[in-house]
Amino acid sequence: MKRIILFTVTFMCLFFISACSEDSNSSSNADEKEVKEFLSQYKSYQYTIEDPKNPPTADEIGEKVKPFLSDEEYEKQFANRAFDIPAEVASKTNNSIALDDITLEKVESEEETEKYKYTLHLTFSDNGSEESIDRKGEITVTTNNEMKIIRDWENRNNEIDDLTF
């Protein structure tokens, strides 16, 4: 009789432990989906150039992306011309730019921040011809009160039409 009770208690403990771990994994996935959507909106504002002959200015792009960034990161990105580059590349290559997708991978999670590696899948198109480029980067997102990007770094060694950006 003791064996049956011991077996039942052990089985129930294992069942509850596995159920709890599944719940924490699903909430973690929901958080990653939320971060991916947040990053997609931000990068879409930054990279979408519909008319290469009349691209938005850095100020216009900056105003669109400002709600996604901490004040410090906004100033840093603006100083590094991160908002100028897509419009400049689109204008020089006469290509429109669109964000197709983002691949996101969580690297580290701390108390109030999460670090991710990402790959942007961008499409450059010009009168029917298209070229896809993958652009890699890293972000750190703060998870207190409201989500903000406190660090955004991109590898700037992609080439399109003999132009490195």
Side-chain angles (χ1 to χ4, degrees):
M1 183 72 173
K2 288 183 181 179
R3 286 184 176 175
I4 293 174
I5 292 173
L6 183 61
F7 177 74
T8 304
V9 170
T10 304
F11 178 76
M12 290 179 68
C13 286
L14 289 173
F15 176 76
F16 286 121
I17 290 171
S18 68
C20 290
S21 71
E22 286 179 23
D23 287 344
S24 68
N25 287 341
S26 65
S27 68
S28 174
N29 289 341
D31 291 341
E32 195 165 318
K33 288 178 186 176
E34 187 177 326
V35 171
K36 183 177 179 178
E37 185 175 316
F38 183 78
L39 182 62
S40 293
Q41 289 176 343
Y42 162 63
K43 289 298 181 180
S44 183
Y45 286 139
Q46 184 178 357
Y47 278 100
T48 300
I49 308 292
E50 294 174 356
D51 183 4
K53 291 182 170 95
N54 188 23
T57 64
D59 290 332
E60 292 169 336
I61 293 172
E63 285 304 310
K64 287 182 181 179
V65 301
K66 194 171 190 173
F68 296 90
L69 301 167
S70 69
D71 292 338
E72 296 82 18
E73 186 61 18
Y74 174 79
E75 294 299 325
K76 181 180 167 187
Q77 293 292 326
F78 203 85
N80 288 337
R81 299 185 51 237
F83 310 136
D84 286 326
I85 293 170
E88 187 177 310
V89 169
S91 179
K92 287 183 178 180
T93 62
N94 199 28
N95 284 296
S96 60
I97 305 173
L99 176 67
D100 282 338
D101 193 20
I102 293 180
T103 305
L104 192 64
E105 174 191 346
K106 186 184 266 187
V107 176
E108 187 179 335
S109 185
E110 295 178 10
E111 191 171 314
E112 292 184 354
T113 62
E114 295 178 353
K115 296 179 182 179
Y116 295 89
K117 288 184 179 182
Y118 65 83
T119 303
L120 303 176
H121 306 285
L122 301 170
T123 300
F124 289 75
S125 53
D126 174 31
N127 298 332
S129 66
E130 288 188 355
E131 183 175 348
S132 294
I133 291 180
D134 289 346
R135 191 167 176 96
K136 296 186 181 295
E138 299 173 3
I139 61 163
T140 304
V141 179
T142 182
T143 54
N144 60 355
N145 294 344
E146 67 177 320
M147 192 180 305
K148 291 277 186 177
I149 296 170
I150 58 175
R151 179 179 171 265
D152 181 12
W153 172 85
E154 288 183 12
N155 188 0
R156 300 192 186 275
N157 64 355
N158 298 94
E159 291 187 15
I160 179 90
D161 292 350
D162 297 328
L163 183 66
T164 301
F165 79 106

